[in-house]
């Protein structure tokens, strides 16, 4: 299912959406600042795009209710996997449970919206996950879908934001390239 979302044709359809999220993000997080720390900002941007593509959520306040537990979850990923009180790993497990709960709520809501024709069965990754069945005709369970979405959030988060951060670093160090890129965008 995933290659359908990541093939070049599909990516083309995301460009205007990614651009509009970028414009809002620049206006709220970058403009007018004397200095910015890029990595946390690109992480937030990537998360905004992921919430839109995976779940059709674009309200920044709604996104923040996912971003907060996700940050705690992500902080525990590369730690010693010992589930003791006070450890990042324990906090990460708790945050993952919280995130799963919120996602299951959204999944239940979406099922109702699809039934009532208020949401499209193809509008985003979540709708697709709800519509596919396995070889026995069984749909994915809600908790399974929630786990898959968390996995996708993890897969696309640090990777894409690290790439964006490197691009910005090189553009800032290579003004002649930056000016060509700028020309290309205007
Ligand atoms: C610039 C951004 C990205 C980089 C550098 C990157 C890098 C990688 C690498 C190196 C692997 C292979 C890991 C392995 O086999 O050991 C991988 C696998 C994977 N990535 Fe990414 N990734 C990026 C973005 C994304 C995004 C945005 C998504 C999802 C929306 C994603 C989903 C996945 C999935 C599902 C796998 C596992 C594929 C499989 O095992 O069949 N990645 N990625």
């Amino acid at each position: 299912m995933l290659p359908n979302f990541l093939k070049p044709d599909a990516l083309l359809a995301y460009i205007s959406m990614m651009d509009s999220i970028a414009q809002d993000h620049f206006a709220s997080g970058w403009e007018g600042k004397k200095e910015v720390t890029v990595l946390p900002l690109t992480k937030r941007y990537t998360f905004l795009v992921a919430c839109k593509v995976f779940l059709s959520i674009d309200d920044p306040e709604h996104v923040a209710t996912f971003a907060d537990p996700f940050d705690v979850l992500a902080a525990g990923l590369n730690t010693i996997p010992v589930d003791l009180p006070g450890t990042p790993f324990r906090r990460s497990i708790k945050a993952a449970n919280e995130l799963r709960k919120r996602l299951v709520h959204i999944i239940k809501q979406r099922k109702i919206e699809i039934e009532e024709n208020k949401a499209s069965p193809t509008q985003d990754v979540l709708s697709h996950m709800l519509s596919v069945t396995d070889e026995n005709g069984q749909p994915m369970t809600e908790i399974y879908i929630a786990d898959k979405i968390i996995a996708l959030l993890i897969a696309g988060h640090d990777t894409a934001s690290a790439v964006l951060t490197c691009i910005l670093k090189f553009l800032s160090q290579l003004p002649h390239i930056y000016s060509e890129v700028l020309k290309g965008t205007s």
Side-chain angles (χ1 to χ4, degrees), residues 2 5-6 46 50 53-54 125 151-164:
L2 199 57
F5 280 94
L6 300 175
T46 311
V53 176
F54 299 164
V125 172
L152 287 179
L153 287 171
I154 292 169
H157 189 247
D158 286 5
T159 45
S161 30
V163 170
L164 289 174

Side-chain angles (χ1 to χ4, degrees), residues 42-105:
T42 56
K43 282 189 178 178
R44 187 47 54 104
Y45 170 69
T46 311
F47 200 77
L48 285 162
V49 172
C51 285
K52 180 72 185 172
V53 176
F54 299 164
L55 304 166
S56 301
I57 294 175
D58 47 17
D59 169 25
E61 278 181 30
H62 196 182
V63 172
T65 65
F66 290 98
D68 295 341
F70 181 80
D71 287 345
V72 180
L73 158 64
L77 284 179
N78 293 322
T79 59
I80 300 167
V82 178
D83 183 9
L84 285 175
T87 58
F89 191 67
R90 165 73 60 99
R91 284 195 289 277
S92 184
I93 291 171
K94 272 180 78 178
N97 289 337
E98 181 58 40
L99 201 56
R100 220 174 267 125
K101 223 163 62 190
R102 288 179 196 190
L103 284 170
V104 167
H105 177 70

Side-chain angles (χ1 to χ4, degrees), residues 101-140:
K101 223 163 62 190
R102 288 179 196 190
L103 284 170
V104 167
H105 177 70
I106 289 190
I107 293 164
K108 285 187 192 300
Q109 251 182 337
R110 176 65 62 82
K111 277 184 173 170
I112 297 170
E113 285 165 7
I114 293 177
E115 263 172 37
E116 294 175 350
N117 287 327
K118 289 181 184 152
S120 139
T122 54
Q123 72 182 52
D124 54 17
V125 172
L126 171 57
S127 272
H128 274 271
M129 284 184 172
L130 284 169
S131 62
V132 292
T133 51
D134 67 13
E135 56 276 17
N136 302 316
Q138 292 302 311
M140 294 188 236

Side-chain angles (χ1 to χ4, degrees), residues 30-49:
W30 300 64
E31 271 165 28
K33 304 266 190 313
K34 236 178 134 191
E35 200 178 299
V36 287
T37 307
V38 174
L39 187 60
L41 286 165
T42 56
K43 282 189 178 178
R44 187 47 54 104
Y45 170 69
T46 311
F47 200 77
L48 285 162
V49 172

